[in-house]
Amino acid sequence: MPRSLILMRHGKSAYPLGVIDHDRPLAARGERQAALAGEWLRAHQPPIDAVLCSTAARTRETLAATGIDTKVSFEPSIYEAGIEQLIELIRLTDDSVQTLLVVGHAPGIPWTAWELAANRDSPHADALSAKFPTSAMAVLAVDDSWSGLGTGLAELVDFHIPR
């Protein structure tokens, strides 16, 4: 049975004056988006065994609004991570984890989803490459162990934008 990797961009954030980027909170729309994302995850995906989440306020608030209650590792490096950094973090996941959720930022999350997908000519890949808006989720099936994850070694099986 393949493992599931869910790459999620944080919900729509607010831009309060005087608040540094890392500390920006979710906007009301972002809270609604994230709650809808949580409902979709519970209805359409296997139970999430573990979460890797950026330490930024908007990612932590996104995760909280989803209502996903499982083991969470808050990873500072996700905040400005590129493709290689995100893949390296995912590779460190214990093989007992069947479904992993990663909550992060653009451009790292969408670029990583694209990089991992073997089926880049699919309707899901077309949607993902057109736009990866806030709270969107790319779901990838991974046949190998987490440590074996690499470019083109997963299948993009869903792309969902909660609205």
Side-chain angles (χ1 to χ4, degrees):
M1 181 171 162
R3 299 173 196 286
S4 293
L5 172 61
I6 304 162
L7 299 174
M8 179 181 189
R9 185 176 173 199
H10 62 77
K12 179 71 175 164
S13 59
Y15 293 87
L17 289 175
V19 175
I20 63 170
D21 185 71
H22 188 273
D23 296 339
R24 284 190 297 119
L26 285 181
R29 182 173 118 199
E31 291 176 19
R32 286 190 306 276
Q33 291 173 337
L36 290 170
E39 290 174 15
W40 183 84
L41 286 168
R42 282 185 290 283
H44 299 282
Q45 298 302 312
I48 294 169
D49 300 313
V51 177
L52 295 174
C53 184
S54 164
T55 56
R58 59 192 177 273
T59 52
R60 289 183 284 120
E61 291 176 13
T62 295
L63 179 58
T66 66
I68 300 297
D69 185 24
T70 193
K71 183 177 96 174
V72 179
S73 294
F74 292 100
E75 296 288 342
S77 63
I78 294 174
Y79 177 64
E80 292 184 328
I83 297 166
E84 291 175 11
Q85 292 167 299
L86 286 170
I87 291 174
E88 282 302 317
L89 277 172
I90 295 164
R91 284 181 180 150
L92 297 173
T93 302
D94 189 271
D95 279 336
S96 64
V97 173
Q98 287 298 305
T99 303
L100 175 66
L101 171 65
V102 181
V103 184
H105 309 267
I109 289 292
W111 287 355
T112 300
W114 182 258
E115 187 72 13
L116 293 173
N119 56 328
R120 295 181 186 167
D121 60 351
S122 68
H124 293 306
D126 290 345
L128 181 152
S129 66
K131 187 171 184 181
F132 201 115
T134 53
S135 287
M137 295 166 285
V139 181
L140 298 120
V142 178
D143 286 329
D144 200 355
S145 66
W146 294 114
S147 62
L149 187 64
T151 299
L153 294 179
E155 182 179 351
L156 181 62
V157 295
D158 210 339
F159 179 68
H160 181 71
I161 302 168
R163 299 285 186 254

